[in-house]
Amino acid sequence: MSKLTLGQILLQKGFVKPQDLKQARELQIANPSKSLAEILISLNVTSEVNILSALSDRMNVPLLEGAIFITDTDIIKLVPEKVARKHNIIPYKVEKNKLIVAMRDPSNMDAIEDIKMASGMDVGFVLATVPSITDAIEKYYANVTAQKMADDMSQEEQENNANALNEMDDRVDSAPIVKMLNTLIQQAFVTHASDIHIEPFRDTVIIRMRIDGALQEYMRISPSAHKNLITRIKILSNMNIAEKRIPLDGRFDYTFEGELIDIRVSTLPTTYGEKAVLRLLGTAMGADIKLTDLGMLPENAEKFMRVCEAPNGVVLVTGPTGSGKSTTLYTVLQDLNKPTVNVTTIEDPVEKKVFGINQVQTNHKAGLDFASALRSILRQDPDIVMIGEIRDNETADIAMRAAITGHLVLSTLHTNDAVSTVARLIDMEVPPYLVAAALNGVLAQRLVRKLCPKCKTKVEVTQAQRNILKDPTLTECYGPVGCPNCSFTGYKGRTSIHEVLTVDTGLRELITKNATTEELRAYAKKEGMIFMDDNVRIKIKEGVTSIDEYMRTIYTI
């Protein structure tokens, strides 16, 4: 223990000013039940992290900054979840037969005694902020609870095996299976996962979550528990629980912490049972964000909004599945949605409900597809039409003809880049003259992982990498390392890369003459278009992403 007081260490580190410390001490005299740290934080004089940093120096104990990463998750079982939540602590590690817990207030003797009673071990501590501890409790106790429920279901399955058919309804609606699915969805939401994969194999079932574009294993369950879990998902998604021979699709809504999550479900029969993928579609897409917030360069954002603000024409967003096309379109629609404009969308599914926009959900069983819905919408006096995806030549043709009759049409298409979109439309039997007349612009985009700001490090660029990047001047950049903050992946979060093709008079002439993709690309380059590989190079130089991400998303031989 340092001989200096907490206040003296804060002054020494420059975290507080003398007059602020004096004011806080005067308030503490008037409110003896409050600690000096609590008063300083309530006055916004300094942050919780600064207080804990000073306390760490004073008590000579480590401070865990950022996310808490526990290597041996079995130690979570040493302290009941009820005790952890009551005192806002989490078991961190076992060291020399002593349980080390992460806590904010080591002077809380009630917490120390409760942990001793629960674990039967002597207790030491490290310091951590309240949000870090709370996030760790949600993450690690949910894992333990989910695994326990899976084990319980496996045991229950064995006990009830003789009457399996009669008791199917009871088991899929029972508390353990419901809680387990709830836990999976909640954990996916908390960790910002886009998908949950439930994959059956001979002796086990692996559950993985796609976080920042990469799959990470979450847990394993028994094959018997898998059957009940799939049945529960099918019931919620209004899918046929008796049909296991063909792929099925469905959806259901789930509310967590006030957020409505739309979950798309797809099942696929595999060798050892049905694989299920649950895609989580949040409701925050496009709300109070700008294109630049999505990672778009200011010059690209300006060009794209200019083509979107035209009174008529077709604007397309292209890219692979899961590249953020819908998020971009909703962001644009937020800006275009005005009381004087009639905006109508056709989607499959409706991913975000927006006030003031007429949104139509396709229904293939009833014969309501993109093409038939689009014909009806054009009789509804729309100003702006958003089509979820142009999938066939009929939809493409109607969209193009709607654009030349005075409507602004926004949609998505699957192509590798912006320029090849022209060839794709012509391949879908849209005449070149119609493409040239209707197309305003194309935005191509993909997602790249962002380097973790806590652990990224400078690395030397090799000659081979310079050749791949086509940048002989680049000598160093940042690369991934891995730390608890990024779950040792080296990456934290994702950003988008873009290229915007605007169709001007010169490009329209080339399209009408049926010019090749290479000729169109050469013209766009001459006009100053920033291509996706240029965009990634900029982000590499800024330290946002790595050369590995360039190789993964852009580089082709």
Side-chain angles (χ1 to χ4, degrees):
M1 179 80 76
S2 170
K3 292 180 180 179
L4 296 176
T5 65
L6 179 64
Q8 288 171 331
I9 296 174
L10 288 169
L11 282 172
Q12 194 178 71
K13 284 177 164 283
F15 292 153
V16 298
K17 295 176 182 176
Q19 60 269 30
D20 294 328
L21 189 59
K22 182 182 177 183
Q23 181 191 2
R25 281 175 172 155
E26 288 171 355
L27 287 171
Q28 190 184 17
I29 292 170
N31 300 276
S33 61
K34 286 194 172 183
S35 68
L36 181 65
E38 288 174 323
I39 292 170
L40 286 169
I41 292 171
S42 66
L43 291 173
N44 290 324
V45 169
T46 190
S47 66
E48 182 186 11
V49 173
N50 288 344
I51 294 285
L52 290 176
S53 175
L55 197 59
S56 170
D57 287 358
R58 183 166 189 260
M59 305 186 78
N60 195 29
V61 294
L63 168 63
L64 304 180
E65 295 190 54
I68 297 172
F69 184 79
I70 299 171
T71 52
D72 181 10
T73 53
D74 284 343
I75 67 165
I76 296 295
K77 299 172 185 175
L78 294 174
V79 178
E81 184 177 355
K82 186 177 179 181
V83 174
R85 290 188 182 278
K86 177 183 176 183
H87 298 296
N88 203 54
I89 61 92
I90 187 152
Y92 181 59
K93 62 181 177 179
V94 174
E95 193 173 78
K96 297 177 181 177
N97 294 322
K98 182 184 284 189
L99 177 62
I100 309 297
V101 299
M103 61 193 307
R104 181 206 190 194
D105 182 11
S107 65
N108 186 347
M109 296 311 297
D110 287 342
I112 299 291
E113 288 303 318
D114 283 354
I115 297 164
K116 279 183 179 178
M117 288 286 292
S119 65
M121 299 176 71
D122 287 335
V123 178
F125 61 87
V126 292
L127 299 173
T129 63
V130 170
S132 296
I133 296 169
T134 303
D135 288 347
I137 289 172
E138 294 298 336
K139 178 180 179 180
Y140 290 105
Y141 276 101
N143 290 1
V144 170
T145 305
Q147 191 63 62
K148 184 177 183 301
M149 286 186 290
D151 295 342
D152 289 347
M153 282 188 292
S154 179
Q155 182 65 32
E156 182 184 348
E157 181 78 16
Q158 292 172 11
E159 291 173 359
N160 297 325
N161 204 32
N163 301 312
L165 290 174
N166 295 334
E167 297 178 1
M168 171 63 81
D169 291 341
D170 293 335
R171 292 202 312 278
V172 299
D173 291 327
S174 66
I177 197 71
V178 172
K179 286 179 183 176
M180 184 181 182
L181 182 57
N182 289 348
T183 301
L184 287 176
I185 296 169
Q186 289 167 14
Q187 279 300 291
F189 181 83
V190 167
T191 57
H192 305 291
S194 59
D195 302 87
I196 303 170
H197 289 239
I198 303 169
E199 304 166 322
F201 295 96
R202 183 191 296 273
D203 300 317
T204 189
V205 178
I206 301 175
I207 298 178
R208 299 191 290 173
M209 296 189 184
R210 189 175 293 280
I211 302 171
D212 294 338
L215 283 171
Q216 297 179 21
E217 185 173 326
Y218 175 69
M219 66 182 296
R220 298 189 180 201
I221 61 175
S222 68
S224 55
H226 164 258
K227 293 174 186 175
N228 294 342
L229 183 60
I230 294 295
T231 303
R232 174 67 184 169
I233 291 168
K234 282 185 169 184
I235 290 171
L236 289 176
S237 308
N238 292 317
M239 296 157 72
N240 184 356
I241 62 172
E243 183 56 78
K244 301 177 182 179
R245 301 164 300 171
I246 59 173
L248 298 173
D249 293 299
R251 61 170 298 278
F252 65 93
D253 291 333
Y254 186 87
T255 303
F256 178 59
E257 293 186 351
E259 289 280 351
L260 180 66
I261 309 167
D262 184 18
I263 300 173
R264 273 192 281 182
V265 179
S266 172
T267 64
L268 182 71
T270 67
T271 308
Y272 297 109
E274 288 181 283
K275 174 188 175 182
V277 175
L278 282 65
R279 168 155 287 190
L280 280 69
L281 303 169
T283 58
M285 293 185 301
D288 302 322
I289 57 174
K290 296 179 170 46
L291 291 172
T292 49
D293 297 329
L294 301 176
M296 194 178 290
L297 297 174
E299 50 267 48
N300 277 344
E302 184 183 347
K303 284 170 67 177
F304 186 58
M305 281 310 300
R306 193 163 63 244
V307 298
C308 290
E309 288 167 353
N312 54 64
V314 173
V315 179
L316 296 174
V317 180
T318 76
T321 303
S323 61
K325 299 187 297 294
S326 297
T327 303
T328 300
L329 281 178
Y330 277 117
T331 303
V332 171
L333 284 178
Q334 291 284 353
D335 287 335
L336 300 179
N337 184 19
K338 297 179 176 66
T340 56
V341 175
N342 177 10
V343 183
T344 306
T345 73
I346 318 156
E347 303 171 67
D348 181 22
V350 174
E351 296 182 15
K352 172 182 166 59
K353 297 177 178 65
V354 183
F355 178 77
I357 293 179
N358 306 290
Q359 296 172 278
V360 178
Q361 167 79 55
T362 60
N363 187 336
H364 296 285
K365 289 181 181 178
L368 184 66
D369 55 15
F370 284 117
S372 60
L374 185 52
R375 286 195 203 92
S376 299
I377 284 170
L378 293 177
R379 295 192 288 271
Q380 291 280 315
D381 186 31
D383 296 295
I384 300 170
V385 178
M386 195 268 271
I387 308 168
E389 183 184 343
I390 293 178
R391 294 177 179 173
D392 52 59
N393 61 330
E394 186 180 10
T395 307
D397 189 67
I398 298 170
M400 294 293 164
R401 296 189 186 280
I404 62 174
T405 55
H407 304 91
L408 178 65
V409 180
L410 308 177
S411 189
T412 68
L413 196 65
H414 288 284
T415 60
N416 289 330
D417 55 43
V419 178
S420 62
T421 302
V422 174
R424 175 78 179 110
L425 289 169
I426 294 172
D427 183 56
M428 294 174 81
E429 299 180 3
V430 180
Y433 76 87
L434 190 55
V435 175
L439 193 62
N440 281 358
V442 182
L443 169 73
Q445 72 177 59
R446 294 186 189 179
L447 294 178
V448 295
R449 292 182 293 172
K450 294 195 293 185
L451 287 165
C452 173
K454 298 275 187 184
C455 65
K456 67 179 181 181
T457 185
K458 280 193 174 181
V459 294
E460 188 178 336
V461 179
T462 65
Q463 184 59 50
Q465 289 172 327
R466 279 194 288 272
N467 293 339
I468 290 169
L469 291 170
K470 300 173 186 173
D471 187 349
T473 63
L474 190 64
T475 57
E476 63 178 18
C477 64
Y478 283 90
V481 178
C483 69
N485 184 57
C486 58
S487 299
F488 294 95
T489 62
Y491 296 93
K492 186 79 171 176
R494 290 190 288 179
T495 186
S496 51
I497 54 172
H498 307 85
E499 62 183 26
V500 180
L501 175 70
T502 53
V503 184
D504 58 13
T505 305
L507 202 62
R508 291 186 202 281
E509 289 179 4
L510 287 172
I511 294 171
T512 305
K513 293 174 183 176
N514 218 358
T516 64
T517 300
E518 287 71 26
E519 289 172 329
L520 297 178
R521 187 175 284 110
Y523 178 85
K525 187 174 183 179
K526 187 182 73 174
E527 293 298 309
M529 176 176 164
I530 301 172
F531 293 91
M532 267 194 289
D533 55 344
D534 300 323
N535 199 174
V536 184
R537 278 193 286 271
I538 292 169
K539 292 187 186 293
I540 288 171
K541 288 178 179 179
E542 291 174 347
V544 175
T545 192
S546 67
I547 294 176
D548 291 342
E549 282 299 282
Y550 176 92
M551 299 285 288
R552 188 179 68 87
T553 57
I554 294 294
Y555 179 67
T556 54
I557 296 173

